[in-house]
Amino acid sequence: MKKVLFLFVVLFGSCAKLDNNLYNNDNKIKEYKLDDYTGEQDFILDDSYHIPPGLVTLLTLPSQADGESSSTEIKAIYIGDVSKINSDTVLLYCHGNKDHMDFYWQRAKLLAHVNGKNKYGVLMMDYRGYGLSKGKPGEKGMYADVSACMQWLKNNGLNNNRLIIYGFSMGTASACELSANAAPMLPDKIILEAPFASVAVMIQDASQLNMPADYFTDLKIDNAEEIKKCDQPLLWLHGKSDNFLNYKTHGQAVYKNYHGRYKESILIEGADHGQVPSQMGFENYLKLIGSFIRKP
Amino acid sequence: MRLIRFICIFLFLIFICFCSPTQLVKPLQKGQRAAAITYGGPLIKFAGAPIPIPFTTLGFSYGLTSKITGYASLHTTSLIFGNLQTTVGGLFSLYEQENKFGLTVSPAIQTAYNIRNKTGFRIWPTLDLNAYYHPLQKPSFVYIGANSWFELSSLRAHNEPQANHIIPNIHAGYMLVKTKWQHQFEIKYLGLGIPNLPGVVDYIGISHKGALGIYYSLIRKF
């Protein structure tokens, strides 16, 4: 009987973890369609936000996480003049958990209008396993992919003081991690839209109990802890009607734990997850981001 | 489809606490034993239709006296995730009119422990109250009841205050009694009054509160 029980525990006890099921990626596409994309999107900009094709560059970058023996090819899109990166300010946009860059194209395009059309460069990437990026999604890989983008920006002449990192939803994990810890570059400012605090909060919100995250996952994402190490100015945006990530239990925990030199919070009435720019109004949103970037 | 999978996975998170299976409602006879397998869970919207998320639990109970039954169960869904979750409790008869009506109370202790990382031992007390009734004095009976989980910790992640210390559920069921086998059908309203938004789960509650669940237990008496 004891042997049976032991076998039962070992067999089950070493089985499932949620890690591989938490990614909502789509890697079935054959090409990026950008403006021609007809799938689900949070919003679609009008023609006044059009970006000339000559200012859109699709990149293939090698990404290698610690402990990996070879690199993984990921895709990124740079909006702006690559030859001017050595003098431009660049927004590094870390997108959320949905699908691939086509879903986030309108957001990246919008950011390319901060303080004027194509005033700043915008770099967005598909993490491994998303869109046309190769490999499988994973936490370490995601950080490596954003690091690879930083390395590319650095190679093209960008300095730390002209790098702004912008994380949305799941992308806030990379934004916090790479602003807090050693990476090819250290962003000068951090913008977090609808951040989540940690996997533990996600689980505890769901269960209503003080349940440890490692009951279900080996993910270590903990923005509320990582943000404590950051000194760069922080802008936190969150919809007060975010029905996915509670702005109180998630965003507020991150914001509260930030003890750096400057922080600013903008809570948007009536905005659900992904609706901050549209609910604010695109021009108000751009004005806010622009003003934050210009702050000394 | 992927989003649905994501949602389903998170349901497992939520309902480790809500997977409280159908429990004993009536005490066993003294010296009597019973084994049960429970299957069922909360309802979610899947392709527009409500479906239950399947949770399984294995349980064993023993009649200590004619009024007190001890029981223990192993939550096999939790075990799949590397967590040893158990329930140990007792069912006490408060009042009984033979083959007609009765009231029972059932305090229990839920424990969970991450056997992969050897971390995260947790204890949650629970309490069940049930009233059962035998229509036409037949062995099968219907019942209603309430149950609550109690979170004893004052803090949660990042040292934020724990919002809810009492997580109430209500239920109603029917026990179809055969000679040795019993079939228990139960519906629950889980997380009574607790808002289910904001949240990462799209489950079926009432006015964005709690979640409805359906359960079935197969019980064999020895």
Side-chain angles (χ1 to χ4, degrees):
Chain A
M1 184 61 189
K2 278 182 183 171
K3 281 182 185 173
V4 172
L5 185 63
F6 177 75
L7 186 66
F8 190 67
V9 169
V10 168
L11 280 176
F12 279 91
S14 57
C15 289
K17 280 285 161 183
L18 294 174
D19 305 22
N20 295 330
N21 295 291
L22 296 179
Y23 300 101
N24 198 21
N25 58 317
D26 177 3
N27 55 8
K28 302 284 189 295
I29 58 169
K30 303 288 178 209
E31 61 175 344
Y32 292 109
K33 294 192 181 295
L34 306 183
D35 281 327
D36 297 327
Y37 184 62
T38 54
E40 184 192 349
Q41 293 164 86
D42 282 338
F43 54 83
I44 296 174
L45 299 169
D46 64 35
D47 289 345
S48 65
Y49 293 95
H50 178 71
I51 303 288
L55 291 178
V56 179
T57 309
L58 181 63
L59 305 163
T60 301
L61 304 173
S63 167
Q64 192 165 356
D66 285 345
E68 288 182 339
S69 56
S70 61
S71 62
T72 299
E73 220 173 65
I74 64 155
K75 297 290 182 185
I77 290 173
Y78 185 75
I79 307 173
D81 187 342
V82 175
S83 68
K84 291 185 179 168
I85 289 175
N86 58 6
S87 59
D88 271 350
T89 292
V90 175
L91 280 147
L92 181 58
Y93 183 74
C94 305
H95 70 55
N97 192 16
K98 186 146 174 78
D99 297 349
H100 45 67
M101 288 193 287
D102 274 335
F103 180 84
Y104 295 100
W105 168 243
Q106 302 291 330
R107 288 171 161 274
K109 220 167 64 162
L110 184 59
L111 288 171
H113 289 78
V114 174
N115 286 336
K117 192 184 272 278
N118 296 117
K119 168 89 172 162
Y120 304 142
V122 177
L123 179 61
M124 169 171 72
M125 79 298 301
D126 259 342
Y127 316 117
R128 57 189 68 190
Y130 287 74
L132 298 178
S133 289
K134 297 198 171 140
K136 286 183 179 176
E139 184 182 355
K140 275 174 75 176
M142 180 170 67
Y143 301 150
D145 299 341
V146 181
S147 291
C149 290
M150 284 183 173
Q151 188 62 55
W152 180 83
L153 289 169
K154 191 177 180 180
N155 293 346
N156 280 279
L158 188 72
N159 294 327
N160 287 344
N161 60 8
R162 287 184 283 111
L163 174 63
I164 316 294
I165 196 159
Y166 188 125
F168 168 61
S169 193
M170 185 182 77
T172 59
S174 299
C176 289
E177 173 76 19
L178 299 177
S179 296
N181 301 305
M185 297 187 73
L186 194 63
D188 190 54
K189 286 180 177 163
I190 310 165
I191 302 172
L192 302 178
E193 181 189 333
F196 66 98
S198 63
V199 180
V201 171
M202 203 173 269
I203 287 166
Q204 292 178 10
D205 273 2
S207 68
Q208 301 293 328
L209 297 171
N210 181 25
M211 199 173 280
D214 69 356
Y215 276 9
F216 308 98
T217 173
D218 290 327
L219 293 175
K220 305 291 181 209
I221 298 173
D222 196 340
N223 292 340
E225 282 303 309
E226 292 302 324
I227 202 74
K228 289 179 180 173
K229 303 178 199 165
C230 298
D231 186 50
Q232 303 96 319
L234 168 71
L235 173 62
W236 166 44
L237 300 152
H238 215 129
K240 286 179 94 169
S241 300
D242 192 324
N243 274 328
F244 189 68
L245 296 175
N246 189 328
Y247 82 94
K248 286 181 179 167
T249 57
H250 284 280
Q252 210 156 269
V254 176
Y255 189 70
K256 188 175 152 190
N257 278 0
Y258 171 85
H259 305 299
R261 74 185 101 124
Y262 176 83
K263 64 179 175 182
E264 183 178 345
S265 69
I266 304 292
L267 300 175
I268 314 302
E269 292 286 348
D272 199 347
H273 199 66
Q275 290 182 341
V276 164
S278 52
Q279 192 69 19
M280 281 182 79
F282 299 131
E283 290 308 310
N284 291 335
Y285 168 81
L286 291 174
K287 204 171 155 187
L288 173 75
I289 304 290
S291 152
F292 175 71
I293 291 174
R294 278 201 306 263
K295 275 197 171 73
Chain B
M1 194 65 186
R2 297 188 72 86
L3 182 62
I4 289 166
R5 186 180 66 171
F6 178 78
I7 288 164
C8 290
I9 291 298
F10 265 98
L11 275 166
F12 283 95
L13 303 184
I14 282 192
F15 292 100
I16 186 171
C17 68
F18 288 160
C19 71
S20 44
T22 56
Q23 292 191 7
L24 282 176
V25 175
K26 273 186 75 173
L28 299 174
Q29 292 168 15
K30 185 179 178 184
Q32 193 174 38
R33 290 166 293 172
I37 179 165
T38 299
Y39 179 91
L43 296 167
I44 61 158
K45 289 173 195 157
F46 186 86
I51 62 155
I53 298 295
F55 290 102
T56 56
T57 305
L58 301 174
F60 178 78
S61 48
Y62 179 74
L64 299 168
T65 71
S66 62
K67 289 183 180 295
I68 303 173
T69 295
Y71 63 86
S73 57
L74 177 70
H75 297 247
T76 36
T77 306
S78 291
L79 202 54
I80 289 169
F81 285 89
N83 305 305
L84 188 62
Q85 187 188 357
T86 61
T87 307
V88 178
L91 178 81
F92 300 85
S93 175
L94 297 176
Y95 173 80
E96 185 178 24
Q97 268 187 306
E98 187 75 24
N99 275 333
K100 194 170 182 188
F101 176 75
L103 291 171
T104 58
V105 62
S106 174
I109 294 290
Q110 304 276 343
T111 61
Y113 178 65
N114 184 327
I115 52 180
R116 263 169 51 125
N117 299 338
K118 298 183 175 54
T119 56
F121 181 71
R122 294 284 191 277
I123 292 180
W124 295 285
T126 63
L127 186 68
D128 264 60
L129 285 167
N130 285 293
Y132 58 87
Y133 173 68
H134 292 266
L136 307 172
Q137 296 194 323
K138 295 209 168 165
S140 300
F141 60 90
V142 292
Y143 63 92
I144 56 170
N147 155 281
S148 185
W149 282 58
F150 299 95
E151 174 55 72
L152 304 177
S153 173
S154 59
L155 296 175
R156 47 178 263 156
H158 313 298
N159 290 323
E160 293 294 322
Q162 175 68 33
N164 294 310
H165 292 279
I166 297 173
I167 300 160
N169 311 311
I170 54 173
H171 55 259
Y174 175 65
M175 183 77 82
L176 177 64
V177 179
K178 301 285 184 183
T179 316
K180 290 283 185 187
W181 294 93
Q182 295 187 3
H183 303 270
Q184 187 174 8
F185 305 90
E186 190 172 290
I187 55 169
K188 286 178 187 280
Y189 180 34
L190 306 153
L192 181 71
I194 297 177
N196 60 32
L197 289 174
V200 291
V201 184
D202 185 17
Y203 54 81
I204 298 172
I206 298 173
S207 299
H208 299 301
K209 288 183 177 172
L212 297 168
I214 56 173
Y215 298 80
Y216 166 74
S217 288
L218 179 63
I219 302 161
R220 173 76 159 91
K221 286 185 178 176
F222 301 94

